């Protein structure tokens, strides 16, 4: 039985008989060329609506030190409210990233002056979550 096998851009023709394999031919594999897209036959009736811009992250309005997200993810829980006194190491927010729950802890003692995110918010790396004063 003959097979064509492509490996690392090279195509090999392999013949297999009763459990033994033997290379019969080797040649370069070429990707098929892509044809240019055809011009539309008739003008479109209406132009498609532009894609919605991503929602802007809430702005930090309070004075203090922001606690930023270490990675992109979704906020599962916010464990503090504005005015809450927190101790170093206390749980502030639970962030889901790559199917794992990550606990965001207070880096120091302080008071929560602003909660920037809410449950279900999507955040990027470095986005402010909480502001401590």
């Amino acid at each position: 039985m003959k097979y064509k096998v492509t490996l690392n851009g090279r195509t090999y023709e392999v013949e297999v008989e009763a459990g033994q394999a033997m290379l019969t031919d080797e040649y370069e594999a070429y990707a098929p060329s892509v044809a240019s897209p055809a011009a539309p036959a008739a003008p479109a009736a209406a132009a498609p609506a532009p894609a919605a811009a991503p929602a802007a992250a809430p702005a930090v309005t309070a004075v203090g030190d922001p606690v930023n997200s270490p990675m992109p993810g979704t906020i599962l829980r916010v464990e503090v409210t504005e005015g809450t006194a927190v101790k170093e190491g206390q749980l502030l927010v639970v962030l889901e990233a790559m199917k794992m729950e990550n606990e965001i802890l207070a880096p120091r003692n302080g008071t929560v002056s602003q909660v920037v995110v809410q449950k279900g918010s999507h955040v990027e790396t470095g986005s402010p979550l909480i502001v401590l004063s």
Side-chain angles (χ1 to χ4, degrees):
M1 195 144 260
K2 288 186 179 183
Y3 296 96
K4 286 186 181 177
V5 179
T6 302
L7 180 64
N8 295 330
R10 296 189 63 97
T11 301
Y12 301 91
E13 189 173 303
V14 180
E15 186 174 335
V16 179
E17 288 182 14
Q20 295 180 350
M22 177 177 34
L23 178 63
T24 58
D25 194 10
E26 175 183 343
Y27 49 91
E28 292 289 325
Y30 295 100
S33 62
V34 178
S36 61
V60 174
T61 57
V63 176
D65 301 321
V67 176
N68 296 324
S69 175
M71 65 194 79
T74 303
I75 304 299
L76 293 180
R77 290 192 322 266
V78 178
E79 296 292 326
V80 294
T81 58
E82 290 181 13
T84 304
V86 296
K87 301 246 184 233
E88 182 177 350
Q90 182 176 337
L91 178 62
L92 301 174
V93 175
V94 177
L95 172 71
E96 179 190 23
M98 298 188 302
K99 307 252 185 227
M100 296 197 58
E101 292 184 13
N102 300 281
E103 295 180 339
I104 309 302
L105 308 176
R108 62 174 178 83
N109 295 344
T111 302
V112 176
S113 56
Q114 183 182 1
V115 177
V116 182
V117 295
Q118 60 186 356
K119 180 180 179 179
S121 300
H122 180 74
V123 296
E124 295 299 327
T125 302
S127 298
L129 306 173
I130 305 285
V131 178
L132 291 179
S133 57

